[in-house]
Amino acid sequence: MPMKSKCHQPSRIIASFFIFAALTLSSWAANLSPFDLRCDYAANPLGVDSESPRLFWKLQSNERGQGQTAYEIIVSSSLDRLATNGGDLWDSGKVESGKTVQINYAGKKLDSFAQVYWKVRVWDRHGEISESRPANWTMGVLENSDWHANWISAPDPTLPAIILRHEFTVKPGLRRALVNICGLGQYELSLNGRKVGDDFLAPGWSKYDKTCLYDTFDITSDLQRGKNAAGISLGNGMYNVIGGGRFTKFKNSFGPQKVIAQIRLEYDDGSVEFIGTEGNWRVAQSPVTFNTIYGGEDFDARLAQKDWDQAGFDDSKWSSAQLVEGPGGSLRGLSCAAPPVREFETNQPVASWTLTNGDMVFDLGQNAAHVPEISVRGPAGSSVQIFPSELTNSDGSINQGSMGAGRRGQIWCQFTKATDGTETWSPAFFYVGCRYLQVHFIPANNSGPMPELLSIGGIVVHSASPPVGDFECSDDLFNRTFEIIRWAQQNNMMSILTDCPHRERLGWLEQDHLNGPALRYDFDLAQLFTKILNDIADSQLPNGLVPTTAPEYDVFKAKNDPDHLRDLYGDSPEWSSSLILIPWQQYEFDGDLDLFRKHYESMTNYLAYLGSRATNDIVNYGMGDWYDLGPRKPGLSQLTPVALTATAFYFEDAKILSRVAGLLGRNGDARKFSGQAEEIRAAFNGKFYDPTNHFYATDSQCANAIPLVFGICDESNRAEVLNSIVLDIRAHGNAWTAGDVGYRYLLRALADGGRSDVIFEMNNQTNKPGYGMQVAKGKTSLTEAWDGGSSQDHFMLGQIQEWFFHDLAGIQNAPDGAGFDKIVIAPQIVDGIQWVRAAYHSIHGEIVSDWKSDGGKFQLRVAIPANTTAEVFVPARTAAEVSGDGQPGRKGVHFLRLENGCAVFQIESGKYQFETD
């Protein structure tokens, strides 16, 4: 089998941009210039299957107040034509507009497989023109008739894993070669003995009876004139989840392993040839003798066939592939795909020890989504078993309890040697969240020598979604909190957002919107969330019900409720409302209306479903404020009535759908949903608000916070309700009780009410359940429970990341903006924090907020990208107190007003510094 290529990239942004001095004029373009061209959120993508892809670019300039007044997009069928401004596919002409994002291609109809080249010319505010470098995209398979291949599999569906091969001839004059491939559950493709691409666990997980994702690669450089060979290795993934005596969350299968693939050869003379998967491909059992996404992977190197994926291999003993039906889902490309999962850095052991039975245990120093990699020598036929864990027992052995293993089986991988020499191996179809690896040695025979482990490490794997934000402040506990959350986010970024990288690996939906802003400040997730929305829509039931997980693999059925089809773990408004809340957050962060257009019917159907479950506008079912801190073990809501959270989300869904309908020009729907929201609001306040005591329902933190944030609470009652929250936090010793659902809104209610001081006091301690306690216990990724228990790798409770960026640094999208085209810089200054430095690479460019407060002096340094504006809030009693760029006459700065103890300035794009004494 081909060796895996390693992508040695850093897992996070290097924080060098925090040094504001580095933001010099020389690092910005002399004139307004476009850069970072994107198509459907991706750079130079392949497999574009949108008929009218969306185009994006950013702008840079060293001049304050620069912006785009017009643009021209030129799209060509060749680089030569593009160089002469020959837009034979599309020339938009000069468009008087400052828009740089979400611009739909509007040229000639594009055919499958077409390679498209484009650039953009922009006019700045002086009328000067600048031009981007060329970019490109490659179309995918747009019509079913453009598939010149069939699904194939092995004649024996019981094989644990299969490999397939086919030889073909490339004629002289090859101009371009593409491959489209969907191998289920997971695949690795090789050409002439070398792996194609550096993706891991491809294709992305999906609801395979609705959508099957194919990948596209340009393989021109992988082919040679004359004979070539293609090899495909298949594994199970989420497509075929088996038990096999090891741990598994569930058992479910969409069918045996299968693949559909086609190679398209385009020659200089204009001729085209397809090599597709058919019955003439050959198939054999893989040396992967066991694989399940939950339980592990075994590889017997003695079964590996040398050069099986190279031309000239004798496959006469192999079987002919069998034509089969696909799993039922439509084949889709980039429009439904997440960024690929890739291998990044390798964590080496920081400590090791030997147990009394001879097993060795290695501490990788970091809990992460790991693929174990070993190098071993010793007798042929001897084996090494690798048992991962997050925790260890008192005797130093691994403990898989936090990963769900135990009565449901253990998790391990096994490698069996083929030779007496040194061999290196890592699983192709398995990863696991872990920190520790316990290695057990098995001789080739009972009295034979043991194999010898030469090296071991954990390859970190996660989505290639790029990091876009970083944060640092004077409080080390907050910095360490930021890090453990960042690791938990990253460890769960696959082709879906998993809840944990070991026990469940399911796409639980509440975390996607509750952590949505926190995640988006940290990573560019527009493409991943677009894929998640497709998964949710695919999983929606005909009656409008949206399951709590998507893709829905593990079905939580209601035994005695055929009308609703799911129990409370499978149908809960706080989870299922992601169908509406995720697109709204994507509009706020990226100015994206496409998700509204594509999923509008699904969104309205879900609101109608909630209405069918309501009695007098009150919805009363679901999990509520999951994992709140009550008297019992964390789980279902203990402190807040389920009806309160469920009905609040019913209101929020109707309110947002009213705004969505307005943005789409559906004014009748906008009025209808607005009226519905007001009816729900009135019913909610009538049932839950206590006008005597000025709190909601049980007076829990969650119960009071959500009505404040959603705008359910009457304006005249807001101060009293906020005060009730503060009193409850003080009564608990500056601690919170809110859980998975309530905590984000607790933070938002306090910050929006100007009480970030309370947030600081809650979180700047280590002796109560929370981030500080986890850091004090040495956790290296955020845990599932506030006290550091249960799973050791959940991003579920990481909502404070939003507060770090949105409130401490003050980087905000303006209320009337979308995609940070209009920005607010409004840092909340908190006693106990002397400085904050943060940067967020928005869809329009980098935004920086860097402040320090020292002995009564305050300094704020700000940078906002070209083509944007911002309002900057500087703590001051009068505008005259503000020096630096707050002085009159400074270019790009205009004093607006005094508000809430701040002087508010309007600034145009550029870098600024404000000071007060």
Side-chain angles (χ1 to χ4, degrees):
M1 300 182 75
M3 294 295 293
K4 296 179 182 180
S5 61
K6 301 295 189 288
C7 182
H8 296 287
Q9 300 179 25
S11 294
R12 59 190 300 275
I13 289 179
I14 303 300
S16 60
F17 56 67
F18 280 147
I19 303 173
F20 196 86
L23 294 172
T24 60
L25 296 183
S26 61
S27 68
W28 287 40
N31 300 302
L32 186 72
S33 58
F35 73 106
D36 194 16
L37 276 62
R38 302 289 176 119
C39 173
D40 281 348
Y41 290 116
N44 300 326
L46 294 92
V48 175
D49 57 339
S50 305
E51 290 187 359
S52 181
R54 289 167 294 161
L55 305 179
F56 308 72
W57 61 90
K58 295 185 178 79
L59 297 167
Q60 56 188 358
S61 174
N62 63 8
E63 181 183 353
R64 282 187 181 181
Q66 261 295 10
Q68 174 186 292
T69 60
Y71 68 83
E72 179 184 17
I73 298 172
I74 302 172
V75 185
S76 305
S77 59
S78 72
L79 274 174
D80 290 341
R81 286 193 176 95
L82 189 69
T84 60
N85 295 331
D88 58 320
L89 296 177
W90 183 40
D91 188 331
S92 69
K94 184 178 180 181
V95 179
E96 303 286 344
S97 171
K99 191 173 184 180
T100 62
V101 302
Q102 310 286 352
I103 300 172
N104 286 93
Y105 168 81
K108 294 180 181 178
K109 186 178 186 301
L110 299 174
D111 296 326
S112 295
F113 320 114
Q115 188 162 20
V116 178
Y117 302 90
W118 73 290
K119 64 182 178 181
V120 62
R121 305 171 72 216
V122 301
W123 282 257
D124 68 11
R125 292 179 178 174
H126 305 304
E128 296 182 5
I129 304 172
S130 59
E131 185 175 291
S132 72
R133 293 179 179 177
N136 67 81
W137 77 82
T138 300
M139 299 302 292
V141 186
L142 302 181
E143 305 288 345
N144 287 335
S145 59
D146 291 327
W147 278 100
H148 300 267
N150 284 295
W151 288 96
I152 59 173
S153 186
D156 181 359
T158 65
L159 294 177
I162 61 175
I163 53 177
L164 305 99
R165 71 180 308 275
H166 183 70
E167 294 190 15
F168 58 97
T169 300
V170 174
K171 298 180 296 186
L174 180 67
R175 177 190 301 166
R176 185 173 66 124
L178 296 174
V179 62
N180 312 110
I181 178 169
C182 175
L184 300 176
Q186 320 283 186
Y187 75 88
E188 285 193 346
L189 169 67
S190 58
L191 289 168
N192 300 320
R194 296 184 299 273
K195 181 181 174 181
V196 174
D198 52 7
D199 299 354
F200 180 69
L201 294 184
W205 301 343
S206 65
K207 198 167 189 308
Y208 301 101
D209 56 351
K210 295 291 184 69
T211 299
C212 295
L213 299 172
Y214 68 85
D215 298 315
T216 300
F217 297 97
D218 187 318
I219 56 171
T220 309
S221 62
D222 296 294
L223 301 180
Q224 59 195 17
R225 181 174 173 181
K227 284 289 186 181
N228 291 262
I232 300 172
S233 305
L234 295 181
N236 286 320
M238 280 292 186
Y239 173 79
N240 184 32
V241 180
I242 60 174
R246 302 188 202 184
F247 168 74
T248 187
K249 168 63 178 175
F250 62 91
K251 297 178 184 179
N252 188 33
S253 178
F254 289 88
Q257 296 166 15
K258 61 192 62 173
V259 62
I260 186 170
Q262 63 182 13
I263 295 172
R264 182 182 185 272
L265 305 176
E266 179 183 336
Y267 293 96
D268 289 336
D269 62 4
S271 62
V272 173
E273 181 183 1
F274 285 92
I275 295 96
T277 46
E278 300 289 353
N280 60 351
W281 282 57
R282 306 290 283 172
V283 60
Q285 180 174 337
S286 168
V288 175
T289 57
F290 177 86
N291 73 105
T292 168
I293 196 67
Y294 289 104
E297 178 175 327
D298 297 348
F299 187 93
D300 190 337
R302 297 170 298 180
L303 301 178
Q305 301 184 53
K306 182 177 173 58
D307 298 332
W308 70 273
D309 53 359
Q310 297 197 44
F313 175 80
D314 181 5
D315 60 13
S316 60
K317 295 182 180 180
W318 290 33
S319 302
S320 295
Q322 182 175 343
L323 298 181
V324 295
E325 295 294 322
S330 300
L331 286 162
R332 301 301 303 273
L334 184 73
S335 65
C336 298
V341 176
R342 295 211 169 116
E343 299 176 347
F344 290 83
E345 71 269 29
T346 298
N347 286 326
Q348 303 292 344
V350 297
S352 64
W353 52 92
T354 302
L355 304 179
T356 57
N357 67 349
D359 285 5
M360 298 184 70
V361 179
F362 297 87
D363 179 1
L364 299 178
Q366 175 63 53
N367 199 10
H370 281 128
V371 177
E373 182 177 51
I374 59 170
S375 182
V376 61
R377 70 184 174 197
S382 62
S383 300
V384 172
Q385 290 181 327
I386 309 165
F387 294 82
S389 77
E390 298 183 301
L391 300 170
T392 57
N393 295 310
S394 58
D395 66 353
S397 62
I398 59 101
N399 182 333
Q400 294 185 343
S402 67
M403 303 161 70
R407 62 181 176 84
R408 288 189 285 179
Q410 286 188 297
I411 304 166
W412 80 86
C413 296
Q414 181 166 321
F415 174 72
T416 301
K417 294 187 82 276
T419 71
D420 294 338
T422 299
E423 297 172 64
T424 299
W425 175 77
S426 61
F429 306 116
F430 174 75
Y431 78 99
V432 63
C434 66
R435 174 173 174 173
Y436 302 95
L437 298 173
Q438 181 169 324
V439 180
H440 178 68
F441 304 94
I442 304 172
N445 54 67
N446 289 336
S447 59
M450 294 289 189
E452 178 186 358
L453 186 70
L454 300 179
S455 66
I456 188 168
I459 304 168
V460 176
V461 294
H462 55 78
S463 167
S465 300
V468 293
D470 219 332
F471 170 89
E472 187 178 8
C473 72
S474 59
D475 189 287
D476 185 59
L477 183 58
F478 280 1
N479 294 335
R480 294 166 70 188
T481 296
F482 179 88
E483 288 299 320
I484 66 170
I485 294 173
R486 185 73 164 255
W487 271 105
Q489 292 173 334
Q490 177 180 277
N491 295 339
N492 286 286
M493 285 165 42
M494 297 295 160
S495 56
I496 64 174
L497 285 168
T498 62
D499 62 323
C500 58
H502 40 63
R503 188 181 70 210
E504 298 195 21
R505 309 184 203 211
L506 297 177
W508 287 98
L509 293 178
E510 94 291 359
Q511 59 189 0
D512 294 358
H513 74 81
L514 292 169
N515 283 273
L519 287 160
R520 292 176 190 268
Y521 275 119
D522 275 337
F523 296 93
D524 180 358
L525 295 181
Q527 192 179 345
L528 178 55
F529 274 122
T530 298
K531 190 264 184 186
I532 288 171
L533 256 293
N534 190 72
D535 293 337
I536 296 173
D538 279 353
S539 300
Q540 187 174 27
L541 275 58
N543 68 346
L545 184 156
V546 172
T548 52
T549 61
E552 189 185 31
Y553 298 131
D554 192 8
V555 178
F556 299 94
K557 293 183 178 180
K559 295 179 180 179
N560 302 311
D561 192 3
D563 293 334
H564 303 133
L565 306 175
R566 299 290 184 273
D567 63 16
L568 60 85
Y569 295 103
D571 176 17
S572 188
E574 306 88 348
W575 276 246
S576 305
S577 292
S578 281
L579 176 60
I580 295 171
L581 301 179
I582 290 174
W584 183 254
Q585 291 174 356
Q586 187 129 323
Y587 169 70
E588 290 181 315
F589 274 77
D590 298 295
D592 191 345
L593 293 172
D594 193 63
L595 292 181
F596 298 152
R597 298 186 183 104
K598 184 181 295 185
H599 299 291
Y600 186 78
E601 183 177 357
S602 296
M603 295 162 71
T604 57
N605 286 346
Y606 178 62
L607 184 67
Y609 171 74
L610 284 179
S612 75
R613 299 295 306 271
T615 301
N616 297 324
D617 291 315
I618 300 296
V619 177
N620 188 16
Y621 74 94
M623 289 181 272
D625 188 20
W626 179 258
Y627 257 65
D628 60 351
L629 293 171
R632 301 184 301 276
K633 181 180 178 180
L636 297 174
S637 180
Q638 302 180 55
L639 305 178
T640 305
V642 166
L644 185 144
T645 54
T647 305
F649 278 89
Y650 180 33
F651 164 83
E652 184 74 353
D653 290 346
K655 181 184 74 176
I656 288 178
L657 269 177
S658 173
R659 296 175 180 175
V660 169
L663 289 168
L664 298 182
R666 298 173 176 261
N667 296 329
D669 281 359
R671 290 190 293 271
K672 179 180 73 172
F673 295 136
S674 178
Q676 184 177 0
E678 283 305 305
E679 291 174 3
I680 299 167
R681 179 176 176 273
F684 184 100
N685 283 324
K687 183 173 181 62
F688 297 114
Y689 184 66
D690 183 337
T692 301
N693 294 302
H694 306 293
F695 58 67
Y696 281 88
T698 56
D699 195 24
S700 71
Q701 296 168 15
C702 174
N704 286 323
I706 289 180
L708 285 175
V709 178
F710 284 178
I712 297 173
C713 182
D714 289 340
E715 188 65 33
S716 59
N717 298 325
R718 292 182 66 85
E720 290 88 350
V721 173
L722 179 63
N723 187 56
S724 293
I725 293 175
V726 175
L727 289 174
D728 190 77
I729 292 170
R730 302 302 192 206
H732 284 88
N734 284 332
W736 65 86
T737 60
D740 176 24
V741 174
Y743 184 64
R744 186 209 171 201
Y745 301 108
L746 175 63
L747 295 178
R748 288 267 40 89
L750 290 168
D752 293 346
R755 297 308 307 268
S756 280
D757 60 313
V758 179
I759 297 175
F760 174 82
E761 291 163 6
M762 285 195 304
N763 288 281
N764 193 43
Q765 56 182 323
T766 60
N767 61 345
K768 292 184 174 65
Y771 306 116
M773 177 175 284
Q774 294 183 37
V775 168
K777 289 182 176 182
K779 305 303 178 182
T780 60
S781 59
L782 190 66
T783 68
E784 182 177 15
W786 283 121
D787 63 358
S790 194
S791 161
Q792 301 294 288
D793 204 344
H794 262 64
F795 75 89
M796 177 179 77
L797 300 174
Q799 298 99 327
I800 197 171
Q801 219 83 331
E802 177 184 5
W803 181 69
F804 288 154
F805 284 97
H806 184 277
D807 301 293
L808 272 190
I811 299 174
Q812 304 170 19
N813 190 41
D816 60 341
F820 290 83
D821 58 344
K822 299 177 182 178
I823 301 162
V824 172
I825 304 293
Q828 295 200 14
I829 314 306
V830 176
D831 287 343
I833 296 181
Q834 288 75 47
W835 55 265
V836 169
R837 300 167 184 157
Y840 167 59
H841 289 261
S842 75
I843 198 169
H844 285 94
E846 185 184 53
I847 305 167
V848 175
S849 174
D850 177 352
W851 63 262
K852 62 181 179 181
S853 181
D854 183 17
K857 295 182 178 180
F858 177 78
Q859 181 184 80
L860 173 62
R861 294 169 172 174
V862 174
I864 64 169
N867 215 47
T868 66
T869 61
E871 288 191 3
V872 180
F873 286 68
V874 182
R877 291 167 296 181
T878 66
E881 294 179 4
V882 183
S883 59
D885 283 310
Q887 295 176 339
R890 293 298 180 100
K891 182 179 180 181
V893 184
H894 175 65
F895 172 71
L896 293 177
R897 62 188 180 276
L898 294 173
E899 180 180 325
N900 295 328
C902 291
V904 184
F905 297 88
Q906 177 84 23
I907 64 171
E908 297 180 320
S909 62
K911 308 176 198 66
Y912 299 84
Q913 179 169 314
F914 300 91
E915 298 176 354
T916 61
D917 292 323

